Amino acid sequence: QVQVVESGGGLVQPGGSLRLSCAASGFTLDDFAIAWFRQAPGKGREGVSCISSNGGSTYYPDSVKGRFAISRDNAKNTVYLQMNTLKPEDTAVYYCAVGPSCTSWYPDYDYYGQGTQVTVSS
């Protein structure tokens, strides 16, 4: 059974850090690009990071560049999103998406997780 599961979300104070994980089962992530999207209440879905299948390329929008870092551990079939210096505007549900290449268009991906809530608040 193909499954993608995110974990690591929670409540953190502004300036704090969280590491999200995206774990796959039923297939291997080795041949896929992995992206993280987020959606805040009342807002559209926004891509916040993507890593190519070989890990050689990463992409970030200006809103998170320098604060977020995506990485992959193919041996663990897991991708991580390290989020530092978090801001209240980073509050959202974060989703992992698996697809053939990095693209900012969410429907281009093949597999999706259910999301994990990140709340940045004092």
Side-chain angles (χ1 to χ4, degrees):
Q1 180 181 0
V2 171
Q3 196 171 16
V4 177
V5 178
E6 304 95 336
S7 61
L11 173 63
V12 63
Q13 292 187 340
S17 298
L18 282 175
R19 188 178 78 158
L20 305 184
S21 298
C22 171
S25 59
F27 71 107
T28 178
L29 291 176
D30 291 20
D31 297 328
F32 293 93
I34 314 298
W36 286 94
F37 289 81
R38 68 185 180 187
Q39 188 163 20
K43 295 188 178 181
R45 191 174 289 114
E46 174 191 19
V48 295
S49 186
C50 190
I51 187 167
S52 61
S53 57
N54 65 5
S57 298
T58 57
Y59 304 92
Y60 307 93
D62 289 343
S63 58
V64 307
K65 196 172 293 182
R67 300 189 298 121
F68 289 13
I70 191 170
S71 61
R72 62 191 305 155
D73 186 340
N74 287 343
K76 294 184 178 180
N77 217 28
T78 301
V79 170
Y80 304 99
L81 183 67
Q82 179 68 43
M83 305 187 297
N84 299 324
T85 320
L86 283 161
K87 304 175 181 180
E89 52 263 44
D90 294 318
T91 295
V93 179
Y94 284 70
Y95 299 90
C96 176
V98 181
S101 62
C102 284
T103 168
S104 60
W105 185 237
Y106 190 74
D108 281 345
Y109 292 84
D110 299 322
Y111 306 111
Y112 305 91
Q114 293 301 306
T116 185
Q117 176 70 47
V118 172
T119 302
V120 184
S121 175
S122 55

